[in-house]
Amino acid sequence: MVGGMDLRKVDSLSSIAEAEDLDFSRLLDRPRLKIERKRSFDERSVSELTVSGNLRQVDSYDSMCSLGTMRSVLDTPVSSDPNPFDPHPMVAEAWEALRRTIVFFRGQPVGTIAAYDHASEEVLNYDQVFVRDFFPSALAFLMNGEPEIVKNFLMKTLYLQGWEKRIDRFKLGEGVMPASFKVKHDPTRKTDNLIADFGESAIGRVAPVDSGFWWIILLRAYTKSTGDLALADSAECQKGMRLILALCLSEGFDTFPTLLCTDGCSMIDRRMGIYGYPMEIQALFFMALRCALTMLKQDTEGKEFIDRIVKRLHALSYHIRNYFWLDFQKLNVIYRYKTEEYSHTAVNKFNVIPDSIPDWIFDFMPTGGGYFIGNVSPARMDFRWFSLGNCIAILSSLATPEQSAAIMDLLEARWEELVGEMPLKVAYPALESHEWRIVTGCDPKNTRWSYHNGGTWPVTLWLLTAACIKTGRPQIARRAIDLAENRLSKDSWPEYYDGKLGRYIGKQARKFQTWSIAGYLVAKMMLEDPSHLGMISLEEDKAMLRPPIKRSASWTI
Ligand code: GLC
């Protein structure tokens, strides 16, 4: 019993909430809520919920109603600081640093640059607004009741999506969202112009698959936070979503529901052996599909996409939950796999050769706990652990509640390896020697335990904190935040740290990296007020657990 309320009752209410969340258009008929509080409009704290006893308020509490989260909120003191009125001095410093990075377009704030590092001689493209980097900035602004910059950003990137995109003589898909953009001032005409990069200037010339997903996820976060349904409902946003979805739902030669990607198409934006079906992209894909489902209108065009999304979600969740999941038992099964099995009775469907299992995994795998591995394709399992994919899997409920708990168990059991002295490694372990040569193409920036190759990225603090709150383990987030507070400000907010324990400021790391700053602020605000979680969390969709696809006749054994 929680505050006199039967937990089971809450749980069943959450499924009503989910059902309603899917039918976003119905929200239109409801009276608009006046936004007075600086937090998610429909995500009130559990204490408010239980005190008021007004069950209708549960409506869209999709992140707050799960049993796990219930526990988390009850365990979590209202404030993470010993004295809530005396916030950590780093908070004010971080806000100041974040505000310095704001970019204006014709007088309006439209985003934040990647890094404000004046000491660095090489600006490279860190003076641009990256879509993925802006995400934690956007959350910070939303949580602080400043949605304007987020709305402007969503509209500007949507406008850029409409540009014709070419690399040499090749035209990119219509829906591609930029990796980054820049505002250029024209002093003669006294006006601002936008310059965007869709991959045609990026190192490696790779288009960012993640940008469109972040954009959809942000649109939902904005809508949840402000209650402004008009933006997502506008013809422009509906079209923008459909264009992104058309790119990733198109039919082809695929036999898997996962999305085929090139190396370097996401946060890890250079060759690191993540080509194929990287977990990071699959998790973002899943989350974006679920977010789109809550926002797409049920008109003729929207309906067609809704049907395709629902089918894909079933297949995708089944595939990832089964084939990407690794724990002690599963590892043992793979270790004993027979190979060269033909036909639908095969246990080792992708013909993974047990000899390809790397040695490190046998010691690394704890008896309890598990995680989604980096990649699965024919005869290839990339056993590396990636932070973003696993955290987003928890937030989007791609991971079942049991899997989410196991991911956190593993993190606790392998804290030294995955966190060490600074949260959190982007990937574990690092590639070394011959493997580094072959996989990265001898990349001098991605040497072992540096940058994307086992480097530590403070930006992941917000993802970790959100996952901790969702799984009812705020104490882990607090531990991680304490570590960050020991060093981040003293070290001038580096982009990444190097070394097995993440002790050294990254060799080529920028200082005052915006998403390191914003990630810290978001983590602090979420721990302070866990109801913010609703912006970036989706409750489990029970329907997805039902057997998804009818077997075709050719499958009968
Ligand atoms: C690096 C990161 C990428 C980020 C960019 C800007 O290229 O790998 O994820 O978006 O810097 O900070």
Side-chain angles (χ1 to χ4, degrees):
M1 297 279 275
V2 176
M5 203 189 218
D6 187 333
L7 280 182
R8 256 176 316 157
K9 212 163 170 186
V10 176
D11 202 30
S12 66
L13 280 164
S14 79
S15 40
I16 299 170
E18 282 148 24
E20 296 212 355
D21 214 14
L22 297 184
D23 188 358
F24 200 79
S25 54
R26 259 197 276 162
L27 291 172
L28 284 172
D29 306 332
R30 296 191 195 156
R32 292 267 158 93
L33 280 167
K34 201 167 152 227
I35 315 299
E36 277 158 357
R37 284 165 298 114
K38 293 179 174 184
R39 59 182 160 139
S40 310
F41 81 101
D42 50 1
E43 303 279 341
R44 263 149 282 185
S45 72
V46 170
S47 52
E48 278 173 63
L49 164 70
T50 47
V51 169
S52 75
N54 181 353
L55 301 183
R56 290 299 303 164
Q57 281 185 9
V58 189
D59 246 14
S60 303
Y61 286 63
D62 42 13
S63 65
M64 301 301 290
C65 291
S66 75
L67 300 181
T69 316
M70 236 356 150
R71 243 179 277 125
S72 106
V73 173
L74 294 174
D75 287 346
T76 313
V78 177
S79 166
S80 61
D81 288 308
N83 177 357
F85 302 108
D86 183 17
H88 197 284
M90 265 170 69
V91 170
E93 185 200 316
W95 272 114
E96 210 174 291
L98 179 62
R99 293 198 193 285
R100 269 205 304 268
T101 67
I102 296 179
V103 170
F104 291 86
F105 178 77
R106 300 184 187 165
Q108 297 207 310
V110 289
T112 51
I113 55 168
Y116 191 85
D117 186 1
H118 278 327
S120 167
E121 281 153 23
E122 271 184 322
V123 177
L124 295 174
N125 51 358
Y126 285 86
D127 60 346
Q128 309 215 1
V129 180
F130 279 76
V131 171
R132 71 176 74 89
D133 293 46
F134 181 67
F135 193 85
S137 297
L139 291 183
F141 289 122
L142 288 175
M143 288 175 187
N144 203 43
E146 299 175 63
E148 191 202 345
I149 184 171
V150 180
K151 185 178 181 176
N152 294 340
F153 168 88
L154 287 165
M155 291 309 289
K156 277 288 157 285
T157 40
L158 189 61
Y159 163 76
L160 294 171
Q161 185 197 36
W163 284 9
E164 190 184 280
K165 294 146 281 213
R166 276 178 189 278
I167 294 192
D168 293 334
R169 294 176 188 182
F170 186 66
K171 195 165 154 249
L172 266 66
E174 242 191 300
V176 176
M177 278 280 180
S180 60
F181 68 87
K182 198 175 165 161
V183 176
K184 209 161 179 222
H185 187 68
D186 180 344
T188 22
R189 292 194 183 161
K190 293 199 175 56
T191 185
D192 289 336
N193 296 310
L194 290 172
I195 302 171
D197 176 22
F198 296 89
E200 74 273 33
S201 319
I203 294 167
R205 300 289 185 266
V206 176
V209 176
D210 62 340
S211 284
F213 298 149
W214 284 121
W215 187 88
I216 292 178
I217 298 166
L218 185 58
L219 182 61
R220 173 183 172 271
Y222 168 86
T223 310
K224 275 237 151 195
S225 163
T226 60
D228 170 12
L229 306 171
L231 184 69
D233 256 358
S234 66
E236 295 96 318
C237 282
Q238 291 286 316
K239 184 173 174 210
M241 269 191 283
R242 287 197 307 267
L243 286 175
I244 297 168
L245 295 167
L247 278 179
C248 50
L249 292 174
S250 63
E251 288 170 359
F253 289 100
D254 304 287
T255 48
F256 305 141
T258 34
L259 194 66
L260 187 60
C261 301
T262 60
D263 227 343
C265 65
S266 62
M267 173 183 179
I268 297 177
D269 56 1
R270 46 209 288 151
R271 189 170 152 193
M272 265 300 293
I274 60 156
Y275 63 89
Y277 305 91
M279 184 56 205
E280 168 176 344
I281 289 293
Q282 312 313 321
L284 286 172
F285 179 30
F286 180 87
M287 185 149 187
L289 289 182
R290 289 201 65 196
C291 289
L293 209 50
T294 69
M295 296 184 290
L296 280 172
K297 281 190 183 169
Q298 297 259 3
D299 50 20
T300 332
E301 286 164 305
K303 238 178 153 57
E304 188 208 318
F305 278 95
I306 290 172
D307 289 348
R308 285 162 75 186
I309 291 175
V310 170
K311 283 189 192 129
R312 191 65 172 257
L313 281 172
H314 279 305
L316 188 59
S317 54
Y318 178 82
H319 187 91
I320 301 274
R321 287 172 183 177
N322 286 292
Y323 305 129
F324 279 62
W325 183 252
L326 191 76
D327 54 19
F328 178 74
Q329 283 75 22
K330 182 80 180 291
L331 180 58
N332 213 155
V333 170
I334 300 169
Y335 175 67
R336 290 164 51 81
Y337 263 165
K338 286 203 218 66
T339 57
E340 316 296 327
E341 293 175 294
Y342 182 71
S343 108
H344 45 259
T345 52
V347 176
N348 180 5
K349 290 186 181 157
F350 309 119
N351 200 35
V352 173
I353 320 287
D355 267 357
S356 69
I357 305 173
D359 286 343
W360 63 266
I361 189 75
F362 294 105
D363 291 334
F364 177 76
M365 184 58 79
T367 317
Y371 67 103
F372 291 109
I373 63 170
N375 219 308
V376 177
S377 60
R380 177 174 177 241
M381 287 179 104
D382 179 349
F383 289 91
R384 279 176 295 171
W385 172 94
F386 289 85
S387 52
L388 201 150
N390 278 281
C391 288
I392 295 282
I394 292 176
L395 295 178
S396 62
S397 290
L398 169 57
T400 63
E402 295 73 28
Q403 287 174 331
S404 295
I407 293 171
M408 299 311 289
D409 287 344
L410 181 124
L411 186 82
E412 282 191 281
R414 294 291 171 253
W415 186 261
E416 182 93 343
E417 289 88 343
L418 303 178
V419 179
E421 296 191 16
M422 177 61 72
L424 182 67
K425 290 222 170 47
V426 69
Y428 180 90
L431 303 169
E432 306 191 35
S433 323
H434 184 59
E435 208 184 3
W436 164 78
R437 251 174 253 125
I438 301 292
V439 176
T440 72
C442 302
D443 188 343
K445 202 166 173 183
N446 270 330
T447 49
R448 63 180 184 164
W449 307 112
S450 183
Y451 202 45
H452 303 139
N453 188 10
T456 294
W457 290 67
V459 59
T460 51
L461 190 61
W462 79 263
L463 284 157
L464 173 65
T465 304
C468 288
I469 297 175
K470 182 152 184 189
T471 51
R473 306 193 195 187
Q475 70 285 359
I476 303 182
R478 226 169 278 133
R479 198 173 155 198
I481 291 175
D482 283 348
L483 284 175
E485 285 178 342
N486 283 340
R487 300 251 340 235
L488 269 189
S489 158
K490 269 187 243 152
D491 296 342
S492 308
W493 310 91
E495 178 187 13
Y496 63 95
Y497 285 82
D498 285 358
K500 261 191 174 170
L501 292 174
R503 270 174 89 190
Y504 296 91
I505 300 174
K507 204 186 266 178
Q508 294 187 44
R510 303 289 115 170
K511 299 283 183 72
F512 296 99
Q513 180 79 19
T514 307
W515 65 1
S516 301
I517 299 165
Y520 168 71
L521 284 173
V522 171
K524 286 292 270 190
M525 284 190 278
M526 266 191 302
L527 209 50
E528 191 79 23
D529 180 357
S531 69
H532 286 312
L533 183 69
M535 272 190 232
I536 36 131
S537 169
L538 291 152
E539 201 42 55
E540 196 188 7
D541 182 346
K542 305 266 175 348
M544 244 176 267
L545 297 174
R546 277 188 236 126
I549 317 150
K550 283 195 203 110
R551 286 184 172 194
S552 73
S554 63
W555 272 41
T556 41
I557 305 165

